[in-house]
Amino acid sequence: MYAFANRCLELYGIPRDPDLSALLDNLICKFKTDTGITVKYNGETVGFTNATNRALARIVEEALRNIKQHSSASYVSIQLVRFNSSWITLTIFDN
């Protein structure tokens, strides 16, 4: 089934989900440009499912939006740690 789905994506030109690294890079770059706030990111971004990639990116997006709207931070730290195949820790904090 998976191979069939991939082939359909190739045939019909529907883009695959971007990898987590690209999603986070885009979010962080836009946040830095919009706010001027320094962001430090540290973490492993490979090996997650597309659904996990989207969920993690959405969490980071919402956290950055909240920092932009409700904080007077000058620094944001984002850390993603994968302990095993089912345990992930995402930590986001500001000063």
Side-chain angles (χ1 to χ4, degrees):
M1 179 69 179
Y2 184 74
F4 175 74
N6 280 338
R7 183 67 181 135
C8 287
L9 290 173
E10 291 170 7
L11 287 173
Y12 297 108
I14 301 168
R16 286 185 166 77
D17 286 342
D19 66 301
L20 184 57
S21 179
L23 290 169
L24 294 179
D25 285 347
N26 289 340
L27 289 171
I28 290 169
C29 184
K30 182 172 178 6
F31 178 80
K32 285 180 180 179
T33 301
D34 291 350
T35 65
I37 297 173
T38 302
V39 179
K40 179 183 178 194
Y41 172 77
N42 183 23
E44 179 183 341
T45 59
V46 295
F48 299 116
T49 65
N50 287 339
T52 302
N53 286 348
R54 287 190 300 270
L56 290 169
R58 183 64 187 97
I59 291 165
V60 170
E61 179 181 32
E62 185 62 25
L64 292 176
R65 182 179 293 118
N66 287 340
I67 291 167
K68 180 180 175 182
Q69 291 178 352
H70 305 293
S71 173
S72 57
S74 62
Y75 176 83
V76 175
S77 174
I78 303 171
Q79 184 173 24
L80 178 62
V81 178
R82 181 181 191 154
F83 292 102
N84 58 43
S85 62
S86 61
W87 190 268
I88 303 165
T89 300
L90 175 62
T91 306
I92 304 166
F93 68 89
D94 63 17
N95 61 350

Coordinates of all heavy atoms in Angstrom, one line a residue:
M1 N 0.8 -1.2 0.0 CA 0.0 0.0 0.0 C 0.9 1.3 0.0 O 0.6 2.2 -0.7 CB -0.9 0.0 1.2 CG -1.8 1.2 1.3 SD -3.0 1.2 0.0 CE -3.9 2.6 0.4
Y2 N 1.9 1.2 0.8 CA 2.8 2.4 0.9 C 3.5 2.7 -0.5 O 3.5 3.9 -0.9 CB 3.9 2.2 2.0 CG 4.8 3.3 2.2 CD1 4.3 4.5 2.9 CD2 6.1 3.3 1.8 CE1 5.1 5.5 3.1 CE2 6.9 4.4 2.0 CZ 6.4 5.5 2.7 OH 7.2 6.6 2.9
A3 N 3.9 1.7 -1.2 CA 4.6 1.9 -2.5 C 3.6 2.5 -3.4 O 3.9 3.4 -4.3 CB 5.2 0.6 -3.0
F4 N 2.3 2.0 -3.4 CA 1.3 2.5 -4.3 C 1.0 4.0 -4.0 O 0.9 4.8 -4.9 CB 0.0 1.7 -4.1 CG -1.2 2.2 -4.9 CD1 -1.2 2.1 -6.2 CD2 -2.2 2.9 -4.2 CE1 -2.3 2.6 -7.0 CE2 -3.2 3.4 -5.0 CZ -3.3 3.3 -6.3
A5 N 0.9 4.3 -2.8 CA 0.7 5.7 -2.4 C 1.8 6.6 -2.9 O 1.6 7.7 -3.4 CB 0.5 5.9 -0.9
N6 N 3.1 6.2 -2.7 CA 4.2 6.9 -3.2 C 4.2 7.1 -4.7 O 4.5 8.2 -5.2 CB 5.5 6.3 -2.8 CG 5.9 6.6 -1.3 OD1 5.4 7.6 -0.8 ND2 6.7 5.8 -0.7
R7 N 3.8 6.0 -5.4 CA 3.8 6.1 -6.9 C 2.7 7.1 -7.3 O 2.9 7.9 -8.3 CB 3.5 4.7 -7.4 CG 3.5 4.7 -8.9 CD 4.9 5.0 -9.5 NE 4.8 4.9 -11.0 CZ 5.4 5.8 -11.7 NH1 6.1 6.8 -11.2 NH2 5.2 5.8 -13.0
C8 N 1.5 7.1 -6.6 CA 0.5 8.1 -7.0 C 1.0 9.5 -6.7 O 0.7 10.4 -7.6 CB -0.8 7.8 -6.1 SG -1.7 6.4 -6.6
L9 N 1.7 9.7 -5.7 CA 2.3 11.0 -5.4 C 3.2 11.5 -6.6 O 3.2 12.6 -7.0 CB 3.1 11.0 -4.1 CG 2.2 10.9 -2.8 CD1 3.2 10.8 -1.6 CD2 1.3 12.1 -2.7
E10 N 4.0 10.5 -7.0 CA 4.9 10.8 -8.1 C 4.2 11.1 -9.4 O 4.5 12.1 -10.2 CB 5.9 9.7 -8.4 CG 6.9 9.5 -7.2 CD 7.7 8.2 -7.4 OE1 7.6 7.5 -8.4 OE2 8.4 7.9 -6.4
L11 N 3.2 10.3 -9.7 CA 2.4 10.4 -11.0 C 1.6 11.7 -11.0 O 1.6 12.4 -12.1 CB 1.5 9.3 -11.2 CG 2.1 7.9 -11.5 CD1 1.1 6.8 -11.5 CD2 2.8 8.0 -12.9
Y12 N 1.0 12.1 -9.9 CA 0.1 13.2 -10.0 C 0.7 14.5 -9.4 O 0.1 15.5 -9.4 CB -1.2 12.9 -9.2 CG -1.9 11.7 -9.8 CD1 -2.0 10.5 -9.2 CD2 -2.6 11.9 -11.0 CE1 -2.6 9.5 -9.8 CE2 -3.2 10.9 -11.6 CZ -3.3 9.6 -11.0 OH -3.9 8.6 -11.6
G13 N 2.0 14.5 -9.1 CA 2.7 15.7 -8.7 C 2.3 16.3 -7.4 O 2.5 17.4 -7.1
I14 N 1.6 15.5 -6.5 CA 1.3 16.0 -5.2 C 2.5 16.0 -4.4 O 3.2 14.9 -4.2 CB 0.2 15.1 -4.6 CG1 -1.1 15.1 -5.5 CG2 -0.2 15.6 -3.2 CD1 -2.1 14.1 -5.1
P15 N 2.9 17.1 -3.8 CA 4.2 17.1 -3.1 C 4.1 16.3 -1.8 O 3.1 16.2 -1.1 CB 4.4 18.6 -2.7 CG 3.0 19.2 -2.8 CD 2.2 18.4 -3.8
R16 N 5.2 15.7 -1.5 CA 5.3 15.0 -0.2 C 5.4 16.0 0.9 O 5.8 17.1 0.7 CB 6.6 14.1 -0.2 CG 6.5 12.9 -1.1 CD 7.8 12.1 -0.9 NE 7.6 10.7 -1.4 CZ 7.7 10.4 -2.7 NH1 7.9 11.4 -3.6 NH2 7.6 9.2 -3.1
D17 N 5.1 15.5 2.1 CA 5.3 16.4 3.3 C 6.8 16.7 3.4 O 7.7 15.9 3.2 CB 4.9 15.7 4.6 CG 3.4 15.6 4.7 OD1 2.7 16.3 4.0 OD2 2.9 14.8 5.5
P18 N 7.1 18.0 3.7 CA 8.5 18.4 3.8 C 9.1 17.7 5.1 O 8.3 17.4 6.0 CB 8.5 19.9 4.0 CG 7.1 20.2 4.3 CD 6.2 19.1 3.8
D19 N 10.3 17.5 5.1 CA 10.9 16.9 6.3 C 10.9 18.0 7.5 O 10.7 19.1 7.3 CB 12.4 16.5 6.1 CG 13.3 17.6 5.7 OD1 13.0 18.4 4.8 OD2 14.3 17.8 6.5
L20 N 11.0 17.5 8.7 CA 10.9 18.3 9.9 C 11.9 19.4 9.9 O 11.6 20.5 10.3 CB 11.0 17.4 11.1 CG 10.8 18.2 12.4 CD1 9.5 18.9 12.5 CD2 10.9 17.2 13.6
S21 N 13.1 19.1 9.4 CA 14.2 20.1 9.4 C 13.8 21.3 8.6 O 13.9 22.5 9.0 CB 15.5 19.5 8.9 OG 16.5 20.5 8.8
A22 N 13.2 21.1 7.4 CA 12.7 22.2 6.5 C 11.6 22.9 7.1 O 11.5 24.2 7.1 CB 12.3 21.6 5.1
L23 N 10.6 22.2 7.7 CA 9.5 22.9 8.4 C 10.0 23.8 9.5 O 9.6 25.0 9.6 CB 8.6 21.9 9.0 CG 7.7 21.0 8.0 CD1 7.0 19.9 8.7 CD2 6.7 21.9 7.3
L24 N 10.9 23.3 10.4 CA 11.4 24.1 11.5 C 12.3 25.3 11.0 O 12.1 26.4 11.5 CB 12.2 23.2 12.5 CG 11.3 22.2 13.2 CD1 12.2 21.4 14.1 CD2 10.2 22.8 14.0
D25 N 13.1 25.0 10.0 CA 13.9 26.1 9.4 C 13.0 27.3 8.9 O 13.3 28.4 9.2 CB 14.8 25.6 8.3 CG 16.0 24.8 8.8 OD1 16.3 24.8 10.0 OD2 16.6 24.1 7.9
N26 N 12.0 26.9 8.2 CA 11.1 28.0 7.7 C 10.4 28.7 8.9 O 10.3 30.0 8.8 CB 10.0 27.4 6.8 CG 10.6 26.9 5.5 OD1 11.7 27.4 5.1 ND2 9.9 26.0 4.8
L27 N 9.9 28.0 9.8 CA 9.2 28.7 11.0 C 10.2 29.6 11.7 O 9.8 30.7 12.1 CB 8.6 27.6 11.9 CG 7.4 26.8 11.5 CD1 7.1 25.7 12.4 CD2 6.2 27.7 11.3
I28 N 11.4 29.1 12.0 CA 12.3 29.8 12.8 C 12.8 31.1 12.0 O 12.9 32.2 12.6 CB 13.5 28.9 13.2 CG1 13.0 27.9 14.3 CG2 14.7 29.7 13.8 CD1 14.0 26.8 14.6
C29 N 13.1 30.9 10.7 CA 13.5 32.0 9.9 C 12.5 33.1 9.8 O 12.8 34.3 10.0 CB 13.9 31.5 8.5 SG 14.5 32.8 7.4
K30 N 11.2 32.7 9.6 CA 10.1 33.7 9.6 C 10.0 34.4 11.0 O 9.8 35.6 11.0 CB 8.8 33.1 9.2 CG 7.7 34.0 9.1 CD 6.5 33.4 8.5 CE 5.3 34.3 8.4 NZ 5.4 35.7 8.8
F31 N 10.1 33.6 12.0 CA 10.0 34.2 13.4 C 11.1 35.2 13.6 O 10.9 36.3 14.1 CB 10.0 33.1 14.4 CG 9.9 33.6 15.8 CD1 8.7 34.0 16.4 CD2 11.1 33.7 16.6 CE1 8.6 34.4 17.7 CE2 11.0 34.1 17.9 CZ 9.8 34.5 18.5
K32 N 12.3 34.9 13.3 CA 13.5 35.8 13.5 C 13.3 37.0 12.7 O 13.6 38.1 13.1 CB 14.8 35.1 13.0 CG 15.3 34.1 14.0 CD 16.6 33.5 13.4 CE 17.2 32.5 14.2 NZ 18.5 31.9 13.6
T33 N 12.8 36.9 11.4 CA 12.6 38.0 10.5 C 11.6 39.0 11.1 O 11.7 40.2 11.1 CB 12.3 37.6 9.1 OG1 13.3 36.8 8.6 CG2 12.1 38.8 8.2
D34 N 10.5 38.4 11.5 CA 9.3 39.2 12.0 C 9.6 39.8 13.4 O 9.1 40.9 13.6 CB 8.1 38.3 12.2 CG 7.5 37.8 10.9 OD1 8.0 38.3 9.8 OD2 6.7 36.9 10.9
T35 N 10.4 39.2 14.2 CA 10.6 39.7 15.6 C 12.0 40.2 15.9 O 12.1 41.0 16.9 CB 10.2 38.6 16.6 OG1 11.2 37.5 16.5 CG2 8.8 38.1 16.4
G36 N 13.0 39.7 15.3 CA 14.3 40.1 15.6 C 14.8 39.3 16.8 O 15.9 39.6 17.3
I37 N 14.1 38.4 17.3 CA 14.4 37.6 18.5 C 15.4 36.4 18.1 O 15.1 35.7 17.1 CB 13.2 37.0 19.2 CG1 12.3 38.1 19.7 CG2 13.5 36.0 20.3 CD1 10.9 37.7 20.2
T38 N 16.4 36.3 18.8 CA 17.4 35.2 18.6 C 16.8 33.8 19.0 O 16.1 33.7 20.0 CB 18.6 35.4 19.5 OG1 19.2 36.7 19.2 CG2 19.7 34.3 19.3
V39 N 16.9 32.9 18.1 CA 16.4 31.5 18.3 C 17.6 30.5 18.2 O 18.3 30.5 17.2 CB 15.3 31.1 17.3 CG1 14.8 29.7 17.6 CG2 14.2 32.1 17.4
K40 N 17.7 29.7 19.2 CA 18.7 28.6 19.2 C 17.9 27.3 19.1 O 17.0 27.0 19.9 CB 19.5 28.6 20.4 CG 20.6 27.5 20.4 CD 21.4 27.4 21.6 CE 22.3 26.2 21.5 NZ 22.9 25.9 22.8
Y41 N 18.2 26.5 18.0 CA 17.6 25.2 17.9 C 18.6 24.1 18.0 O 19.7 24.2 17.4 CB 16.9 25.1 16.5 CG 16.4 23.7 16.2 CD1 15.2 23.3 16.9 CD2 17.1 22.9 15.4 CE1 14.8 22.0 16.7 CE2 16.6 21.6 15.3 CZ 15.5 21.1 15.9 OH 15.1 19.9 15.7
N42 N 18.3 23.1 18.7 CA 19.1 21.9 18.8 C 18.2 20.7 18.8 O 17.3 20.6 19.6 CB 19.9 22.0 20.1 CG 20.9 20.9 20.3 OD1 21.3 20.3 19.3 ND2 21.3 20.6 21.5
G43 N 18.5 19.7 18.0 CA 17.8 18.5 18.0 C 17.9 17.7 16.7 O 18.4 18.1 15.7
E44 N 17.4 16.5 16.9 CA 17.4 15.5 15.8 C 16.1 15.6 15.0 O 15.0 15.6 15.7 CB 17.6 14.1 16.4 CG 17.5 13.0 15.4 CD 17.6 11.6 16.0 OE1 18.0 11.6 17.2 OE2 17.2 10.7 15.4
T45 N 16.1 15.7 13.7 CA 14.9 15.9 13.0 C 14.6 14.8 12.0 O 13.7 15.0 11.1 CB 14.9 17.3 12.2 OG1 16.0 17.3 11.3 CG2 15.0 18.4 13.2
V46 N 15.3 13.7 12.0 CA 15.1 12.7 11.0 C 14.5 11.4 11.7 O 14.6 11.2 12.9 CB 16.4 12.2 10.4 CG1 17.0 13.4 9.5 CG2 17.4 11.8 11.4
G47 N 13.8 10.7 10.9 CA 13.2 9.4 11.3 C 11.8 9.5 11.9 O 11.3 8.5 12.4
F48 N 11.2 10.6 11.9 CA 9.8 10.7 12.4 C 8.8 10.5 11.2 O 9.1 10.7 10.1 CB 9.5 12.1 13.0 CG 10.4 12.5 14.1 CD1 11.3 13.5 14.0 CD2 10.4 11.8 15.3 CE1 12.1 13.9 15.1 CE2 11.2 12.1 16.4 CZ 12.1 13.1 16.3
T49 N 7.6 10.1 11.5 CA 6.6 9.9 10.5 C 6.1 11.3 10.1 O 6.3 12.3 10.8 CB 5.4 9.2 11.1 OG1 4.8 10.0 12.1 CG2 5.8 7.8 11.6
N50 N 5.4 11.4 8.9 CA 4.9 12.6 8.5 C 4.0 13.3 9.5 O 4.0 14.5 9.7 CB 4.2 12.5 7.1 CG 5.2 12.2 6.0 OD1 6.4 12.6 6.1 ND2 4.8 11.7 4.9
A51 N 3.1 12.4 10.1 CA 2.2 12.9 11.1 C 2.9 13.5 12.3 O 2.5 14.6 12.8 CB 1.2 11.8 11.5
T52 N 4.0 12.9 12.7 CA 4.8 13.4 13.8 C 5.5 14.7 13.4 O 5.5 15.7 14.2 CB 5.8 12.4 14.3 OG1 5.1 11.2 14.7 CG2 6.6 12.9 15.5
N53 N 6.0 14.8 12.2 CA 6.6 16.0 11.7 C 5.6 17.2 11.7 O 6.0 18.2 12.2 CB 7.1 15.8 10.2 CG 8.3 15.0 10.1 OD1 9.0 14.7 11.1 ND2 8.7 14.6 8.9
R54 N 4.4 16.9 11.2 CA 3.4 18.0 11.2 C 3.0 18.4 12.6 O 2.9 19.6 12.9 CB 2.2 17.6 10.4 CG 2.4 17.5 8.9 CD 1.2 17.3 8.1 NE 0.5 16.1 8.4 CZ 0.7 14.9 7.8 NH1 1.5 14.8 6.9 NH2 0.0 13.8 8.2
A55 N 2.9 17.4 13.5 CA 2.5 17.8 14.9 C 3.6 18.6 15.6 O 3.3 19.6 16.2 CB 2.2 16.5 15.7
L56 N 4.8 18.2 15.5 CA 5.9 18.9 16.1 C 6.1 20.3 15.5 O 6.3 21.3 16.3 CB 7.2 18.1 15.9 CG 7.4 16.8 16.7 CD1 8.6 16.0 16.3 CD2 7.4 17.1 18.2
A57 N 6.0 20.4 14.2 CA 6.1 21.7 13.6 C 4.9 22.6 14.0 O 5.1 23.8 14.3 CB 6.1 21.6 12.1
R58 N 3.7 22.1 14.2 CA 2.6 22.8 14.6 C 2.7 23.3 16.0 O 2.4 24.5 16.4 CB 1.3 22.0 14.5 CG 0.0 22.7 14.8 CD -0.2 23.9 13.9 NE -1.4 24.6 14.3 CZ -1.3 25.7 15.1 NH1 -0.2 26.2 15.4 NH2 -2.4 26.3 15.5
I59 N 3.3 22.5 16.9 CA 3.6 22.9 18.3 C 4.6 24.0 18.3 O 4.4 25.0 19.0 CB 4.1 21.6 19.1 CG1 2.9 20.6 19.3 CG2 4.6 22.1 20.5 CD1 3.4 19.3 19.7
V60 N 5.7 23.9 17.6 CA 6.7 24.9 17.5 C 6.0 26.2 17.0 O 6.3 27.3 17.5 CB 7.9 24.5 16.7 CG1 8.8 25.7 16.4 CG2 8.6 23.4 17.4
E61 N 5.2 26.1 15.9 CA 4.6 27.3 15.3 C 3.7 28.0 16.4 O 3.8 29.2 16.5 CB 3.7 26.9 14.2 CG 3.0 28.0 13.5 CD 2.1 27.5 12.3 OE1 1.6 26.4 12.4 OE2 2.0 28.3 11.4
E62 N 2.9 27.3 17.1 CA 2.0 27.9 18.1 C 2.8 28.5 19.3 O 2.5 29.6 19.7 CB 1.1 26.8 18.7 CG 0.0 27.4 19.6 CD -0.9 28.5 19.0 OE1 -1.1 28.5 17.7 OE2 -1.4 29.3 19.7
A63 N 3.9 27.8 19.7 CA 4.7 28.4 20.8 C 5.4 29.7 20.3 O 5.4 30.6 21.1 CB 5.8 27.3 21.2
L64 N 5.9 29.7 19.1 CA 6.5 30.9 18.6 C 5.5 32.0 18.5 O 5.8 33.2 18.8 CB 7.3 30.7 17.3 CG 8.5 29.8 17.4 CD1 9.1 29.5 16.0 CD2 9.6 30.3 18.3
R65 N 4.3 31.7 18.0 CA 3.2 32.7 17.9 C 2.9 33.3 19.3 O 2.8 34.5 19.5 CB 2.0 32.1 17.3 CG 0.9 33.1 17.1 CD -0.4 32.5 16.5 NE -0.1 32.2 15.1 CZ -0.2 30.9 14.7 NH1 -0.6 29.9 15.5 NH2 0.0 30.7 13.4
N66 N 2.8 32.4 20.3 CA 2.6 32.9 21.7 C 3.7 33.8 22.2 O 3.4 34.8 22.8 CB 2.3 31.7 22.6 CG 1.0 31.0 22.4 OD1 0.1 31.6 21.8 ND2 0.9 29.8 22.8
I67 N 4.9 33.4 21.9 CA 6.0 34.2 22.4 C 6.0 35.6 21.7 O 6.2 36.6 22.3 CB 7.4 33.5 22.1 CG1 7.5 32.3 23.0 CG2 8.6 34.4 22.2 CD1 8.6 31.3 22.6
K68 N 5.7 35.6 20.4 CA 5.6 36.8 19.6 C 4.5 37.7 20.2 O 4.7 39.0 20.3 CB 5.4 36.5 18.2 CG 5.2 37.7 17.3 CD 5.0 37.3 15.8 CE 4.8 38.5 14.9 NZ 4.5 38.1 13.5
Q69 N 3.4 37.2 20.5 CA 2.2 38.0 20.9 C 2.2 38.4 22.4 O 1.7 39.4 22.8 CB 0.9 37.2 20.6 CG 0.6 37.1 19.2 CD -0.7 36.3 18.9 OE1 -1.2 35.7 19.8 NE2 -1.1 36.3 17.6
H70 N 2.8 37.5 23.3 CA 2.6 37.7 24.7 C 3.9 37.8 25.5 O 3.8 37.9 26.7 CB 1.8 36.5 25.3 CG 0.5 36.3 24.6 ND1 -0.6 37.1 24.6 CD2 0.1 35.2 23.8 CE1 -1.6 36.7 23.9 NE2 -1.2 35.5 23.4
S71 N 5.0 37.9 24.9 CA 6.3 37.9 25.6 C 7.1 39.1 25.1 O 7.0 39.6 24.0 CB 7.0 36.6 25.4 OG 8.3 36.7 25.9
S72 N 8.0 39.5 26.0 CA 9.0 40.5 25.6 C 10.4 39.9 25.6 O 11.4 40.5 26.0 CB 9.0 41.7 26.6 OG 9.2 41.3 27.9
A73 N 10.4 38.6 25.1 CA 11.6 37.9 25.1 C 12.7 38.4 24.1 O 12.3 39.0 23.1 CB 11.3 36.4 24.7
S74 N 13.9 38.1 24.4 CA 15.0 38.5 23.4 C 15.7 37.2 23.0 O 16.6 37.3 22.2 CB 16.0 39.4 24.1 OG 16.6 38.8 25.2
Y75 N 15.3 36.1 23.5 CA 15.9 34.8 23.2 C 14.9 33.6 23.4 O 14.1 33.6 24.3 CB 17.1 34.6 24.2 CG 17.8 33.3 24.1 CD1 18.8 33.1 23.1 CD2 17.5 32.2 24.9 CE1 19.4 31.9 23.0 CE2 18.1 31.0 24.8 CZ 19.1 30.8 23.9 OH 19.8 29.6 23.7
V76 N 15.0 32.7 22.4 CA 14.1 31.5 22.4 C 15.0 30.3 22.2 O 15.9 30.3 21.3 CB 13.0 31.6 21.3 CG1 12.2 30.3 21.3 CG2 12.1 32.7 21.5
S77 N 14.8 29.3 23.0 CA 15.5 28.0 22.8 C 14.5 26.9 22.5 O 13.5 26.8 23.2 CB 16.3 27.7 24.1 OG 16.9 26.4 24.0
I78 N 14.8 26.1 21.5 CA 14.0 25.0 21.1 C 14.9 23.8 21.1 O 16.0 23.8 20.4 CB 13.4 25.2 19.7 CG1 12.6 26.5 19.6 CG2 12.6 24.0 19.2 CD1 12.2 26.9 18.2
Q79 N 14.5 22.8 21.8 CA 15.3 21.5 21.9 C 14.4 20.3 21.7 O 13.3 20.2 22.3 CB 16.0 21.4 23.2 CG 16.9 20.2 23.3 CD 17.7 20.1 24.6 OE1 17.3 20.7 25.6 NE2 18.8 19.4 24.5
L80 N 14.8 19.5 20.7 CA 14.0 18.3 20.4 C 14.9 17.1 20.7 O 16.0 17.0 20.1 CB 13.6 18.3 18.9 CG 12.9 17.1 18.4 CD1 11.5 16.9 19.1 CD2 12.6 17.3 16.9
V81 N 14.5 16.2 21.6 CA 15.3 15.0 21.9 C 14.4 13.8 21.6 O 13.3 13.7 22.1 CB 15.7 15.0 23.4 CG1 16.5 13.8 23.8 CG2 16.5 16.3 23.7
R82 N 15.0 12.9 20.9 CA 14.3 11.6 20.6 C 15.0 10.5 21.5 O 16.2 10.2 21.2 CB 14.4 11.2 19.2 CG 13.7 10.0 18.8 CD 13.8 9.7 17.3 NE 13.0 8.6 17.0 CZ 12.5 8.4 15.8 NH1 12.8 9.2 14.8 NH2 11.7 7.3 15.6
F83 N 14.3 9.9 22.4 CA 14.9 8.9 23.3 C 14.8 7.5 22.7 O 15.7 6.8 22.8 CB 14.2 8.9 24.7 CG 14.4 10.2 25.4 CD1 13.5 11.2 25.5 CD2 15.6 10.4 26.1 CE1 13.7 12.4 26.2 CE2 15.9 11.5 26.8 CZ 15.0 12.5 26.8
N84 N 13.7 7.2 22.0 CA 13.5 6.0 21.3 C 12.4 6.1 20.3 O 12.0 7.2 20.0 CB 13.3 4.8 22.3 CG 12.1 5.0 23.2 OD1 11.0 5.5 22.7 ND2 12.2 4.7 24.4
S85 N 11.9 5.0 19.7 CA 10.9 5.2 18.7 C 9.6 5.7 19.1 O 8.8 6.1 18.3 CB 10.7 3.8 18.0 OG 10.2 2.9 19.0
S86 N 9.3 5.7 20.4 CA 8.0 6.2 20.9 C 8.1 7.3 21.9 O 7.1 7.7 22.5 CB 7.2 5.1 21.4 OG 7.9 4.5 22.5
W87 N 9.3 7.9 22.2 CA 9.5 8.9 23.2 C 10.2 10.1 22.7 O 11.4 10.0 22.4 CB 10.2 8.3 24.4 CG 10.2 9.2 25.6 CD1 11.1 10.1 26.0 CD2 9.2 9.2 26.7 NE1 10.8 10.7 27.1 CE2 9.6 10.2 27.6 CE3 8.0 8.5 26.9 CZ2 8.9 10.5 28.7 CZ3 7.3 8.8 28.0 CH2 7.7 9.8 28.9
I88 N 9.6 11.2 22.6 CA 10.1 12.5 22.1 C 9.9 13.5 23.1 O 8.8 13.6 23.7 CB 9.5 12.9 20.8 CG1 9.6 11.8 19.7 CG2 10.0 14.2 20.2 CD1 8.6 12.0 18.5
T89 N 10.9 14.4 23.3 CA 10.7 15.5 24.2 C 11.0 16.8 23.4 O 12.1 16.9 22.8 CB 11.6 15.5 25.4 OG1 11.4 14.3 26.2 CG2 11.4 16.7 26.3
L90 N 10.0 17.7 23.4 CA 10.2 19.0 22.7 C 10.1 20.1 23.8 O 9.1 20.2 24.5 CB 9.1 19.2 21.7 CG 9.1 20.6 21.0 CD1 10.4 20.8 20.2 CD2 7.9 20.7 20.1
T91 N 11.2 20.8 24.0 CA 11.2 21.9 25.0 C 11.4 23.2 24.3 O 12.3 23.4 23.5 CB 12.4 21.6 26.0 OG1 12.3 20.3 26.5 CG2 12.4 22.6 27.1
I92 N 10.6 24.1 24.6 CA 10.6 25.5 24.1 C 10.5 26.5 25.2 O 9.6 26.4 26.0 CB 9.5 25.7 23.1 CG1 9.5 24.7 22.0 CG2 9.6 27.2 22.5 CD1 8.2 24.6 21.2
F93 N 11.5 27.4 25.3 CA 11.4 28.4 26.4 C 12.0 29.7 25.9 O 12.8 29.7 24.9 CB 12.1 27.9 27.7 CG 13.6 27.8 27.7 CD1 14.4 28.8 27.9 CD2 14.2 26.5 27.4 CE1 15.8 28.7 27.9 CE2 15.5 26.4 27.3 CZ 16.3 27.5 27.6
D94 N 11.6 30.7 26.6 CA 12.2 32.1 26.3 C 12.6 32.7 27.6 O 12.4 32.2 28.7 CB 11.2 32.9 25.6 CG 9.9 33.2 26.4 OD1 9.9 33.1 27.6 OD2 8.9 33.6 25.8
N95 N 13.3 33.8 27.4 CA 13.7 34.5 28.6 C 12.7 35.5 29.0 O 12.6 36.5 29.4 CB 15.1 35.2 28.5 CG 15.2 36.2 27.4 OD1 14.3 36.3 26.6 ND2 16.3 36.9 27.3

